[in-house]
Each structure stands twice: as C-alpha cells, then as structure tokens.
Amino acid sequence: MKKLMLGNEAFARGLYEAGCKVVSSYPGTPSTEITEEVAKYNEVYAEWAPNEKVALEVALGASIAGARSFCGMKHVGLNVAADPLYTASYSGVNAGLVIAVADDQGMHSSQNEQDSRHHAIASKVPMLEPSDSAECKDFVKLAFEISENFDTPVIVRMSTRVAHSQSVVAAEDRQELELKEYIKTPQKYVMMPAYAKGRHVFVEERTNKLTEYAETSPLNRVEISENAEFGVITNGAAYQYTKEALGDKASVLKIGMVNPMPVKLIQDFAAKYEKIYIIEELDGIIEQHCRNIGVNNVQGKEIFGYIGEIPQSVIAEKILGEKKEFVSLDENIPVRPPVMCAGCPHRGLFYCLKKLGVTVSGDIGCYTLGAAAPLNAMDTTICMGASISGLHGFNKARGAESEHKSVAVIGDSTFMHSGMTGLVNIAYNNSNSTVIILDNSITGMTGHQQNPTTGKNLKGDPAAAVNLEELCKAIGIKRVQVVDPYHLAETEKAIKEELAADEASVIISRRPCALLKYVKHNPPFAVDSEKCVGCKACMKLGCPAISVKDKKAVIDHTQCVGCGICQEQCKFNAIK
Amino acid sequence: METKSIMIVGVGGQGSLLASRIIGNVLLSQGYDVKVSEVHGMSQRGGSVVTYVKYGEKVYSPIVEKGEADIIISFEMLETARALPYLKKGGKMITSVQQIDPMPVITGTAEYPDNLVEKLKSAGADVTAVDALTLAEQAGTAKASNVVLMGVLASKMDFPEEVWQNALEQCVPPKFLELNKKAFALGRNV
Ligand SMILES: Cc1ncc(C[n+]2csc(CCOP(=O)(O)OP(=O)(O)O)c2C)c(N)n1
Ligand code: SF4
Ligand code: SF4
C-alpha cells in the first residue's frame, strides 16, 4: 500500500523489510524517529544506548554474531562513535551492519554544521545518500547487501530535509533471515597489529572494488535532458532542489553513493557538456573528487558556498538569474525563539544561578535555553559532556577564585552519555568543582526518549534505573545533595553551600519534565490585579505563561501548570 | 499540472501536525504526488513552527520559499505577518486572529504589532481572518481550532466534501471525531 512516510519512518521500514534484528542507537535530531519507528516492529530488538560509541559497538557485536544490525545517530554522534567506526572498517562484518548519520544542513537543531561525508572517506567505509522517503527504504535494503557482499559497515547519510519530509512509499514484506553462522576468526575480528596489517590491505582492495561497483550501481543515476545546455552533478536533498529549479534545462548526474565515488561515470558525463555545475550542500567533496580525476569543467563552491542549504531559489538565481517576487510588511515583526515550557523544572534552577551571578559551564539539552533572555545564565556550550570536563579545566586555570563561583550544569541523559567520565576526572584529579545534574527523568530536547536513569527502556517497559546519588558517591564525590527546583529558596541555599565548600560536590536538581504524561500538575495560578503593583519580578523567570497587560501581570491559564515559582517571587502576594 | 504549495504556520503545540496530516490525506486520495515537510526539534519549545505541503504530478523540493505559496494557513497573527513574503502573487492567506506573545514581547524588548489583518490587506494579500479559537470552543474545545481552519481551507479548494470527511475519519481518533467534524463544519461555513 502507498503511504506518506517521513524519511525516517521509511528508513525504519527498510530496516524491517531487510530482516534487521538488532538496533542500538542514541537519539539526536534529525535521526531519532528511525529508531523510535523501528522499535514498533516486534520482530526487531531495539534499544537506546547511553551514547553513540556504545550503540555502534552493540550493533557491530550483533553483526559479528550473525544478525543484520543497525545503529542511528545525528552527525555529531558519529564523532563520538568514530573510534569503533574506523576499526569496524577493518574488521568488516558477518551479517550486514548499517549506520545512519543525519546531517543538519542549515543547523535547524544542532551545535555545528559538519559534513559527515568526511568520516566515510577517512574511515574508508561506503556511504549512501537518499533524496526522498522511497529512496530511504530502498537504499537501506541495498546497504545491507553491500555490507555483506563487500564485508564492510555501510553508512547511510540522512539530512534534516530528507529525514523530516514525508513522501510516498510503497511498503513491502519483511525478508526473514536466519542468523548467519558465527565462526571464530581472530584474523578478522581481533584487531591487534599483526592482524590489522592484513586487514588494511583488504580495506584498500575493497575500496577499489567499491569504486568499480559505483560505476554501474543503480545508486548513481544519469538523467539526460535533450534540451540541456549544461550538466549538474548533485546528491541528497540538493537533487530535489536542482530538479525543481532547473527542470529539463539541465542533465543531471545524481550521486547516490557518495563514498567511494565513480570515476569513469563522472568523466563521461562531464565530457558531454561544456559546463558542469556541482550542487552539493556543505563541503565541496564531489567537486574535489572531480578535480582529482581530471574533470575540470566544474563549478561549485565558488558559486554556492559552504554554508547551509542550497534550496531551489538559490539555484534558480545563481544559474538562471531568475528571482521570485514577493511582498513583506514594513513592520518590525518580533522573533519567536524557542523557550523552556511553562513549568519547566530547569527554570527555577537557572533563575537561582542568574541571581547568584555564577559562571555556568553549560551543556546540551532543553536546559541550553537557560542561555537565552531573560535568564542569560550560561557561559559555554560545546558538546555533550563538555560542561563537567570544561569546568574542571576552567577551575584548574583560575584556581580558587573561580572554584567558589562557577558551576557545571548537565542533563540526566547527557550525564549518562559522557558526563560521568568528566566527573571521574574531577574526583581523581582533585578539583573543587560544583556540578549540577538537571534530572528531569527524560531526554527532553530530542522529544522525550527514555535513558538509563528513567527506569524504562525504549519500548516503554520497566528497566533498571541508575541511582545518580550512589553513582556520584561511588565515583568519589562525598558531597551530594538533592534539591527540588520548584523550591527556589532551597535550591539557592544548596548552590551557595556547595560553592562555599572546599571539595568537589554534586547537586541533583530533581523534578520530572513538565510535559511528561504521568506528571500531575497543580491547578493554574492567577494574578490578583488589585494586589499586583506591576513590579515585573515574576517576569524575570521567563515563563511563557506570564505576560503584562495594562501594567499588570497576567497568567495564561491554558499554559500555566501551577509550578508555583512565580508565586514565590511575588512580594505582594498577588499570585494565587 | 504545475506543483502547488501550501504553507502552515503557527506556534509550537498549536496542532499543525494534524492539519498537515489531514491535507496530505486529502491530496493523496486525489491521486497527486505529495510531499509534506516540517522541522522538528527546537521548534517544539514554543518557537515558530512551519510546515510545507506540496502537491502535483511530480513534486521535487519538499520546501516552500519566498513568493511560492499558493495558500498560507496560519494559527497565529504574528506568524501570519511573518509568512507574508512566502505568499505567491495572487495567493490566499487563511488566518486565525489568535495572538500569542513571543518572549521578546513578554520581556518587553519588543512590541506586538497592531492591526495586522488590515496591514496585510493593504499590502495586497487576499486574507480570510477567522476567530478560529471561539469557533473551536463552540464545537467543544479550543484545541480544535486547527480543524476549524481546515474547514475554511476546504471552502477554498475544489475537492468534494466526502474526501475531507474521509480524511478527518482517518486522522482524528474516534473519540474526538464528532467534535472535530463540528469544528470543521463551522470553519467551512465561515
Ligand atoms: C553527540 C551528540 N549526540 C546527540 C545529541 C543530541 N542531543 C542534544 S541534547 C540531548 C540530550 C538531552 O537530554 P538531557 O541531557 O536529559 O536534557 P533535557 O533535554 O532533558 O533537559 C541529545 C540527545 C548531541 N547534541 N550530541
Ligand atoms: S520539554 Fe520538559 S525539560 Fe524541556 S523545556 Fe519543556 S518542560 Fe523543560
Ligand atoms: S505557576 Fe507561574 S511560573 Fe509556574 S507555570 Fe504557572 S505562570 Fe509559569
């Protein structure tokens, strides 16, 4: 049956149809729904791992054991999983191993705009790149075949537009596969120097074979247009923009296998036209490949640049000189940035940090919104886990002067992902640092996934829960306090105490995310306009439910969840 | 047939997902190639939310850019104003008159512009402004204002009524179907 499916949903369908048995992933926009969707099929074992490195190692283990397996992540996740990736390239697979990596051209929800094709090239692993949902499903199935035929992991590169656009897909049946036999083969799976040397030779031979395969593979497709005066080489979402902008004005070579790329296919295509445009988002990888193989009638990055998406309007303007007409209002339209939800447990904590004027070594999650106005309570955010290790470095550089007035903040999922090791470093290398774990019992930012602290697994079934207090103590932190961030006074007191202490400490700020279904909320609060003097003290919290009308605060009862922190702020007892 | 573009704009949590699902269902049932595109992630935290729906014989790009939208459906006035540049010459805007203050307005660093419907009209836009929230409350819940706007949309497109009714049946949980059908009818008769 034909259905509209998100690219991610179609990807999951492809995994199911290909007989995939084991899935281990870590969430990250825009890759998350692949794993959430595949978990709905009972034939597939699927889990959230604590981080991408663990996830990829699990999937590789399952592949060696003989089951088709999968691991999904966002682009920066592949940096974390790079270590197993580069050696899995050498060990190869037993049953097929497919990895999804989702790039975020345009940085709709990421901390950088890296081009993950570099990882495929550097690790010498083949990479496929679909352009719509139907291709997502087809490419995944083909990826398993390539993986098994060439003895290699295969990466499928997604992008925000392909992952989060729905297009028409025809579902097919699942191919049920027997486990492949596992034969002990240390020359292949024990990558110590003596064996790894042999495997490196294999990897180089494999790349040659894959390049040959790329010449004739259906993944790369030439679309000749009789009217065309020039050619375009393109990949991924940019293929769709190209077709939309140029129609039959261009002949197109669509690269579906972005590593390794064909040689003769490109040379022959480029020889047909005087001018070839290369329309690829982010880095100029196809373009560089063209130059490397002596194809020099190409233009790409000098026209389109390295930043963001290359949508149809840009292509039409740069190549055809056409621009769409539009009107806009001569009016200042205020921006609408994302904000922490009404009743978000992170708000109270950040309010206290702002009030105390401390330096905040931040991390990635919903709480990164604490960096925005009106809280403005974050100094750094680099990558997952960097809050804790970064604070340690900051304190080692500046000593006691900063130790008593700086903290690290990190979410529960992020702490499990890569914060723990930083805390071990603080205990081991003896820094007087204060770490705050924002335990909202969920992975909020990426759309509410379970994690090792929540007591549930990906399928929603009960699971072991890490006890954060005991874990921190076992790591060697003697001072561990738990506070409720809905109680501002208690929270502020705890932060002051731990900043004053002369040893490392952890504060666990514990309160479940306000959007979780099981959370029971208090009835909404309202402002007594007789009592409100319009001092705007409550506005400093940045709760989206509070606004000011006619110089008095008003609370939107449809948004308010009755957390009560604004009431605690009001000196005139106007909030009830 | 030339590809047509619909844009749905609003604020995170206003129900654009259901709206795009209903439209997608209608279009697919009419035999079109369809693409629906949305950006997940940060936008869920009360930020601006944009969804694109494109249909035709063969749709390539899933996104709608400035000057390309045949129809813009908006759940919130400020977002309607923000979306104006996306409207194609001769395109239509359907908007709820609801206003939700964004954080810069809440914190007092910016003002919510007034008389936006008039300003949009004098900029030449074909605007249908509807008090979708009140109509939805009449139907039973403020949450159905997205479906009220679907009713308005249906009155501006030439698809048979039963196609929309089928789409509602397929996209809305049975528990809420009657209520949503009421909301749809109220919008259709605006
Ligand atoms: C290496 C890496 N993997 C995944 C992500 C995507 N991501 C951003 S924040 C986050 C987790 C947030 O959860 P948590 O720490 O519990 O904080 P919350 O959002 O619940 O406040 C994830 C998975 C990322 N930015 N980097
Ligand atoms: S989803 Fe939860 S943790 Fe994230 S901002 Fe909203 S209330 Fe806070
Ligand atoms: S009680 Fe106050 S701070 Fe909490 S959600 Fe309601 S309005 Fe916002």
Side-chain angles (χ1 to χ4, degrees):
Chain A
M1 201 190 68
K2 286 198 166 179
K3 228 186 110 181
L4 276 181
M5 281 191 201
L6 277 181
N8 282 348
E9 191 184 347
F11 197 119
R13 182 74 204 180
L15 292 171
Y16 168 77
E17 289 175 7
C20 178
K21 280 202 173 69
V22 177
V23 170
S24 184
S25 303
Y26 184 73
T29 315
S31 71
T32 312
E33 297 85 358
I34 303 175
T35 302
E36 290 178 328
E37 289 295 329
V38 82
K40 293 178 183 165
Y41 298 106
N42 286 330
E43 295 90 334
V44 183
Y45 168 79
E47 66 176 26
W48 290 129
N51 68 33
E52 293 86 352
K53 171 174 148 65
V54 173
L56 181 51
E57 290 156 356
V58 171
L60 177 61
S63 151
I64 292 172
R68 282 193 169 185
S69 55
F70 167 75
C71 173
M73 62 195 73
K74 71 181 288 162
H75 61 343
V76 287
L78 196 53
N79 305 341
V80 177
D83 200 9
L85 174 71
Y86 283 61
T87 302
S89 171
Y90 280 37
S91 70
V93 303
N94 182 13
L97 170 59
V98 172
I99 300 160
V101 58
D103 281 5
D104 189 15
Q105 293 91 331
M107 278 192 278
H108 300 280
S109 42
S110 304
Q111 69 267 37
N112 78 24
E113 205 176 16
Q114 72 185 48
D115 187 326
S116 56
R117 289 178 294 171
H118 292 293
H119 272 308
I121 295 166
S123 65
K124 309 193 178 195
V125 165
M127 179 182 255
L128 317 186
E129 184 169 10
S131 296
D132 62 18
S133 300
E135 281 190 357
C136 286
K137 188 172 82 100
D138 294 344
F139 281 25
V140 169
K141 293 165 90 168
L142 203 50
F144 276 112
E145 282 174 30
I146 295 171
S147 174
E148 286 166 5
N149 292 343
F150 292 88
D151 188 10
T152 178
V154 176
I155 304 173
V156 179
R157 182 189 189 219
M158 300 287 280
S159 62
T160 294
R161 297 303 182 185
V162 173
H164 285 170
S165 296
Q166 301 173 39
S167 54
V168 182
V169 179
E172 296 159 278
D173 291 335
R174 175 174 167 95
Q175 169 192 15
E176 212 47 78
L177 298 171
E178 294 291 310
L179 271 186
K180 283 199 164 183
E181 191 186 358
Y182 167 70
I183 303 163
K184 184 169 177 173
T185 325
Q187 312 84 291
K188 182 160 155 40
Y189 298 126
V190 180
M191 284 300 93
M192 54 188 193
Y195 295 145
K197 279 180 185 158
R199 291 302 290 181
H200 190 181
V201 175
F202 166 81
V203 166
E204 297 305 325
E205 286 165 359
R206 181 180 72 199
T207 299
N208 292 338
K209 286 186 189 145
L210 282 162
T211 306
E212 239 168 77
Y213 168 78
E215 301 289 354
T216 54
S217 164
L219 290 161
N220 302 319
R221 182 170 83 220
V222 175
E223 299 172 4
I224 295 290
S225 161
E226 300 304 329
N227 312 333
E229 286 169 12
F230 57 89
V232 170
I233 307 178
T234 183
N235 62 317
Y239 163 79
Q240 306 290 359
Y241 306 139
T242 299
K243 294 293 278 190
E244 174 123 352
L246 303 176
D248 61 2
K249 295 191 184 79
S251 288
V252 172
L253 169 54
K254 178 184 185 296
I255 304 283
M257 181 152 160
V258 291
N259 187 58
M261 280 183 273
V263 174
K264 200 164 171 304
L265 184 69
I266 292 177
Q267 287 166 337
D268 290 350
F269 178 77
K272 289 190 173 64
Y273 300 93
E274 213 171 295
K275 197 174 226 170
I276 300 287
Y277 293 101
I278 300 195
I279 307 183
E280 59 181 322
E281 292 174 332
L282 304 183
D283 294 340
I285 290 172
I286 300 176
E287 186 173 349
Q288 189 56 50
H289 173 71
C290 287
R291 297 191 198 283
N292 291 349
I293 59 173
V295 171
N296 286 311
N297 56 334
V298 295
Q299 270 189 305
K301 288 298 139 190
E302 58 178 294
I303 305 177
F304 296 106
Y306 297 83
I307 300 169
E309 304 178 277
I310 309 176
Q312 60 264 21
S313 64
V314 174
I315 299 171
E317 187 181 340
K318 304 268 183 184
I319 296 185
L320 306 175
E322 290 172 4
K323 264 179 112 161
K324 288 250 156 61
E325 277 179 56
F326 61 87
V327 287
S328 37
L329 289 187
D330 185 18
E331 181 92 36
N332 180 22
I333 299 173
V335 292
R336 190 185 297 277
V339 291
M340 287 178 196
C341 308
C344 175
H346 300 328
R347 179 171 288 107
L349 186 103
F350 279 97
Y351 177 76
C352 294
L353 292 175
K354 178 184 178 142
K355 192 170 161 200
L356 296 172
V358 293
T359 302
V360 179
S361 179
D363 222 300
I364 306 189
C366 284
Y367 50 94
T368 312
L369 295 169
L375 294 165
N376 302 316
M378 198 169 283
D379 289 71
T380 56
T381 294
I382 308 295
C383 64
M384 291 186 78
S387 57
I388 299 184
S389 22
L391 174 69
H392 176 76
F394 201 91
N395 285 343
K396 285 291 174 198
R398 301 192 78 89
E401 173 235 324
S402 104
E403 283 176 346
H404 294 294
K405 56 172 205 201
S406 56
V407 300
V409 293
I410 186 165
D412 48 348
S413 182
T414 306
F415 184 69
M416 284 292 114
H417 177 279
S418 47
M420 285 190 289
T421 40
L423 191 63
V424 169
N425 192 43
I426 283 179
Y428 172 52
N429 286 312
N430 190 28
S431 80
N432 178 12
S433 296
T434 303
V435 171
I436 304 176
I437 303 175
L438 297 150
D439 180 11
N440 63 349
S441 301
I442 203 75
T443 314
M445 185 76 250
T446 41
H448 296 96
Q449 291 75 34
Q450 305 296 339
N451 71 51
T453 69
T454 65
K456 289 213 173 111
N457 64 21
L458 167 57
K459 301 227 180 195
D461 297 326
V466 169
N467 180 321
L468 287 173
E469 296 88 312
E470 294 301 322
L471 174 62
C472 294
K473 284 183 190 152
I475 281 172
I477 308 294
K478 295 192 194 80
R479 298 182 64 96
V480 179
Q481 290 204 46
V482 181
V483 296
D484 178 352
Y486 275 6
H487 297 141
L488 297 178
E490 172 198 339
T491 304
E492 189 180 328
K493 180 169 159 273
I495 300 170
K496 279 188 183 152
E497 273 169 21
E498 299 312 333
L499 282 173
D502 280 321
E503 60 179 314
S505 54
V506 169
I507 301 170
I508 300 169
S509 173
R510 179 168 289 148
R511 183 46 93 159
C513 161
L515 296 192
L516 291 177
K517 292 226 164 62
Y518 67 80
V519 173
K520 296 265 176 297
H521 293 298
N522 289 328
F525 281 73
V527 178
D528 182 343
S529 58
E530 300 279 291
K531 287 188 179 164
C532 176
V533 299
C535 72
K536 297 192 181 168
C538 55
M539 305 290 295
K540 295 201 182 107
L541 293 165
C543 174
I546 313 178
S547 54
V548 171
K549 292 266 144 61
D550 303 325
K551 306 222 163 103
K552 306 264 179 183
V554 280
I555 293 180
D556 172 359
H557 68 95
T558 63
Q559 282 197 67
C560 173
V561 299
C563 77
I565 61 169
C566 58
Q567 188 184 35
E568 227 180 308
Q569 276 320 97
C570 182
K571 292 200 182 70
F572 303 93
N573 253 326
I575 299 177
K576 289 259 157 56
Chain B
M1 171 200 155
E2 206 190 316
T3 297
K4 298 269 185 202
S5 302
I6 301 176
M7 207 166 138
I8 307 169
V9 301
V11 177
Q14 281 194 304
S16 56
L17 205 67
L18 177 64
S20 67
R21 218 181 290 149
I22 292 170
I23 301 173
N25 191 298
V26 165
L27 296 171
L28 210 56
S29 76
Q30 297 301 291
Y32 292 113
D33 187 23
V34 181
K35 283 190 179 167
V36 179
S37 180
E38 62 219 21
V39 172
H40 304 206
M42 283 298 227
S43 52
Q44 287 170 347
R45 311 276 168 276
S48 305
V49 181
V50 180
T51 308
Y52 311 115
V53 180
K54 301 190 41 166
Y55 65 104
E57 249 160 58
K58 170 85 190 141
V59 180
Y60 289 106
S61 167
I63 64 175
V64 178
E65 294 193 83
K66 290 190 177 144
E68 290 185 349
D70 296 278
I71 299 177
I72 293 176
I73 301 158
S74 172
F75 298 135
E76 202 278 340
M77 266 329 298
L78 192 63
E79 299 311 312
T80 318
R82 199 190 311 285
L84 178 65
Y86 288 82
L87 195 66
K88 189 190 266 183
K89 225 177 169 179
K92 295 187 171 82
M93 293 185 121
I94 298 169
T95 182
S96 165
V97 294
Q98 190 183 354
Q99 299 195 355
I100 301 173
D101 288 350
M103 198 44 72
V105 172
I106 290 182
T107 57
T109 56
E111 262 181 54
Y112 199 109
D114 52 8
N115 299 326
L116 283 172
V117 174
E118 287 75 53
K119 285 174 185 161
L120 288 166
K121 282 186 177 160
S122 48
D126 172 348
V127 186
T128 308
V130 188
D131 187 354
L133 209 56
T134 307
L135 290 174
E137 271 164 3
Q138 270 175 37
T141 165
K143 286 200 180 114
S145 55
N146 52 358
V147 176
V148 172
L149 292 179
M150 290 302 96
V152 184
L153 174 69
S155 71
K156 311 225 173 245
M157 295 178 97
D158 321 310
F159 300 127
E161 174 68 14
E162 71 202 49
V163 175
W164 290 95
Q165 294 296 329
N166 281 344
L168 283 176
E169 276 155 31
Q170 281 177 39
C171 301
V172 176
K175 249 203 327 200
F176 302 114
L177 188 59
E178 269 324 294
L179 189 159
N180 278 288
K181 283 193 165 181
K182 227 188 257 173
F184 182 84
L186 286 170
R188 192 138 173 70
N189 298 324
V190 161

